[in-house]
Amino acid sequence: MAALQASSLLVSSSSSSSSGCSLKRTITASIQAPKPSILSLADHPGAVIAKKLVEELNTRNGYAFAEPLQMDVAQKDRVLEPRLSPTSSIETTTKLYAILVAVEDRVEMHDNIGEQRDNWNKLLLNSVNMMTLTATTTAAMASAAPAPSLRVCSALLFTAATGMSLVMSKIQPSQLVEEQRNASRLFKQLRSEIKSMLALQSPTKSDVKEMMEKVLALDRAYPLPLLGAMIEKFPAKFEPAAWWPRVSDNRRQSRGRKTIANTERNGWSEDLEVEMRAIVQVLKSKDKQDYLRLGNMALKLNKMLAVSAPLLTGIAAASSAFGGSTATTVAAIAGAMAAIINGFEHGGQVGMVVEMYRNNAGFFELMEETIKVMLEEQDYNKRENGEMFEMKVAMKLGRSLSQLRDLARKSMASCIEGIEVDEFGSKLF
């Protein structure tokens, strides 16, 4: 209610000309009310809650939030109106932080398990070789000076070495270590990608879905448990590793049916598209095929070694049990050969070499698929910037932009002339 204050009272009198005098009073008053307060939305409870949430996301784990709370100042009324990020954007960012925490945890798990399995490889190899060499020495002594106790000790040691060698051949500890190394490296790449997304742009629901698919694809490609989920160490056919979500045929067809909405090409040109197709041809025909060939050779060698070592220690155990000078001599020779094969297979980490070739072939398959999917997208606004994409491809292949374009020209010339390109696409490996 406004307060009423009388400011002045004026009384004036005047006399009439003929009938007498009359009193005329004039009252002049003014009403003074307080200036109405301007409602500021900055103090609104919803704005305060949103601001606190954003500040928490800004300070959590030391990561920067891409869209802080912004305030628009109206020049006319000077009223502060908060332009809050949509609720879905805040929820999306929170989900992305949750995925980032899960990725951090997986990096730690794969590092710890990789270290543990590296210890397995060293301890099991040393134990098997010590038992095999001890049994071989005992068998040699038994052949020179026959004694039942020496034969029994030799047979027991060879039997134990056979069992441990079978386990090592089945699980391939050096290959398990390489799997965990690759999983840790790829999860660290995904962690950097999520951090960059949070720092440089506002994440969307599709970004959250894509990150979740990548995490689950990595979990499938590099499982942590051994029983029931371990990657087959001796497959019938050597195939590249696949740690990324596959693009379905339906999605590819939907990409191809889209029409160009505008004339801007987002850094792309006809020459750049031709260049990328030529790069794909080189990676497919040279790099990927070479690692598939090497991987098949390494896999066959590993299969032969994995069968030979337990077989030789088994023969040595049986020969020691039968006794006799000839049998113990055979046991000593077989034990010595088993120790050599075990040292070459597990000490030389042939399983690790197989896994390395598998991952290298997968890397080139991923490059091929990434470029193809990018070129199949008909809407240039939905593509990554062409110049940026070209730079990324060059860096992944260990080349400069000029070297990448030279490789594309050689690939196109080889298709025209019908000759093979004389170099590989990657200069890194």
Side-chain angles (χ1 to χ4, degrees):
M1 178 181 293
L4 180 62
Q5 296 178 351
S7 62
S8 63
L9 178 60
L10 298 177
V11 180
S12 61
S13 60
S14 61
S15 53
S16 60
S17 57
S18 59
S19 61
C21 60
S22 63
L23 181 62
K24 182 179 180 181
R25 294 179 180 180
T26 302
I27 299 175
T28 303
S30 63
I31 299 174
Q32 184 177 5
K35 188 177 181 180
S37 59
I38 298 175
L39 180 60
S40 175
L41 295 181
D43 297 329
H44 192 272
V48 174
I49 294 173
K51 185 175 181 180
K52 288 182 179 179
L53 178 58
V54 173
E55 289 176 353
E56 180 183 352
L57 292 176
N58 278 330
T59 57
R60 182 179 180 184
N61 296 330
Y63 304 129
F65 181 47
E67 287 191 358
L69 183 66
Q70 299 180 3
M71 305 294 289
D72 290 339
V73 181
Q75 297 295 330
K76 181 177 180 181
D77 298 326
R78 308 298 297 175
V79 177
L80 295 178
E81 296 179 355
R83 188 178 66 196
L84 299 176
S85 299
T87 306
S88 60
S89 177
I90 296 178
E91 292 178 355
T92 299
T93 305
T94 306
K95 291 178 182 178
L96 205 56
Y97 272 116
I99 295 174
L100 181 59
V101 171
V103 170
E104 293 275 7
D105 187 49
R106 280 167 170 78
V107 170
E108 187 71 21
M109 285 192 297
H110 284 286
D111 284 339
N112 293 340
I113 292 179
E115 184 178 354
Q116 177 198 44
R117 291 176 181 177
D118 188 34
N119 291 333
W120 282 2
N121 185 41
K122 295 174 182 177
L123 294 174
L124 286 173
L125 176 61
N126 291 335
S127 299
V128 169
N129 277 346
M130 287 298 296
M131 284 190 293
T132 304
L133 292 174
T134 303
T136 301
T137 304
T138 306
M141 292 172 61
S143 64
S149 60
L150 292 177
R151 291 199 306 271
V152 171
C153 290
S154 176
L156 289 175
L157 287 172
F158 275 130
T159 302
T162 302
M164 294 184 66
S165 182
L166 282 171
V167 172
M168 291 186 69
S169 297
K170 176 65 176 177
I171 67 175
Q172 292 292 311
S174 63
Q175 189 169 348
L176 292 175
V177 176
E178 184 66 14
E179 290 173 8
Q180 302 308 312
R181 289 196 198 104
N182 288 319
S184 178
R185 177 179 59 84
L186 293 170
F187 271 115
K188 288 176 182 177
Q189 285 183 2
L190 186 59
R191 178 181 63 185
S192 300
E193 185 177 351
I194 296 175
K195 287 182 179 180
S196 300
M197 184 179 297
L198 288 168
L200 300 178
Q201 66 186 44
S202 177
T204 61
K205 291 183 179 179
S206 61
D207 293 328
V208 173
K209 182 179 179 182
E210 181 183 358
M211 292 301 109
M212 287 190 66
E213 289 178 352
K214 287 184 177 181
V215 171
L216 296 177
L218 277 172
D219 288 339
R220 290 191 298 269
Y222 300 101
L224 289 171
L226 288 178
L227 299 178
M230 184 179 66
I231 297 175
E232 177 60 42
K233 299 300 183 288
F234 303 103
K237 180 182 178 183
F238 181 81
E239 294 181 352
W243 60 84
W244 62 93
R246 297 285 187 175
V247 179
S248 63
D249 294 335
N250 293 333
R251 287 177 62 184
R252 286 190 174 183
Q253 291 175 4
S254 64
R255 287 173 181 264
R257 286 195 296 267
K258 292 178 181 177
T259 58
I260 301 175
N262 51 39
T263 57
E264 295 183 2
R265 300 178 68 90
N266 193 20
W268 288 88
S269 63
E270 294 293 338
D271 293 338
L272 181 56
E273 292 185 357
V274 172
E275 175 188 335
M276 289 295 107
R277 290 189 178 93
I279 296 298
V280 167
Q281 186 62 32
V282 174
L283 297 179
K284 184 177 180 180
S285 61
K286 294 286 293 184
D287 299 74
K288 180 181 172 182
Q289 288 300 320
D290 188 61
Y291 278 108
L292 288 176
R293 178 181 60 83
L294 293 173
N296 274 306
M297 292 175 57
L299 181 61
K300 291 177 181 178
L301 175 62
N302 198 29
K303 284 181 180 179
M304 182 182 67
L305 296 175
V307 171
S308 299
L311 179 63
L312 287 171
T313 52
I315 292 173
S319 300
S320 297
F322 283 120
S325 175
T326 304
T328 53
T329 301
V330 171
I333 295 174
M337 293 179 63
I340 294 172
I341 292 175
N342 274 326
F344 182 77
E345 179 186 7
H346 301 292
Q349 298 188 352
V350 180
M352 182 273 293
V353 175
V354 174
E355 183 65 20
M356 181 184 68
Y357 288 153
R358 197 173 76 93
N359 278 276
N360 290 346
F363 169 78
F364 292 113
E365 185 170 340
L366 174 60
M367 289 284 295
E368 177 187 346
E369 183 173 328
T370 302
I371 296 174
K372 284 183 176 180
V373 170
M374 188 67 65
L375 295 178
E376 287 172 359
E377 178 58 71
Q378 298 298 317
D379 190 349
Y380 291 103
N381 288 332
K382 294 185 179 180
R383 290 187 186 182
E384 187 176 0
N385 180 268
E387 296 176 357
M388 179 65 69
F389 186 75
E390 183 185 22
M391 185 190 72
K392 286 183 178 180
V393 171
M395 292 301 297
K396 287 182 179 180
L397 296 179
R399 292 175 175 269
S400 64
L401 291 176
S402 60
Q403 291 175 339
L404 187 70
R405 291 161 187 163
D406 290 340
L407 178 65
R409 282 193 289 269
K410 288 182 180 180
S411 176
M412 289 184 284
S414 67
C415 292
I416 296 173
E417 299 174 2
I419 59 176
E420 188 178 357
V421 182
D422 59 352
E423 62 176 318
F424 292 96
S426 175
K427 286 184 173 290
L428 290 178
F429 50 85

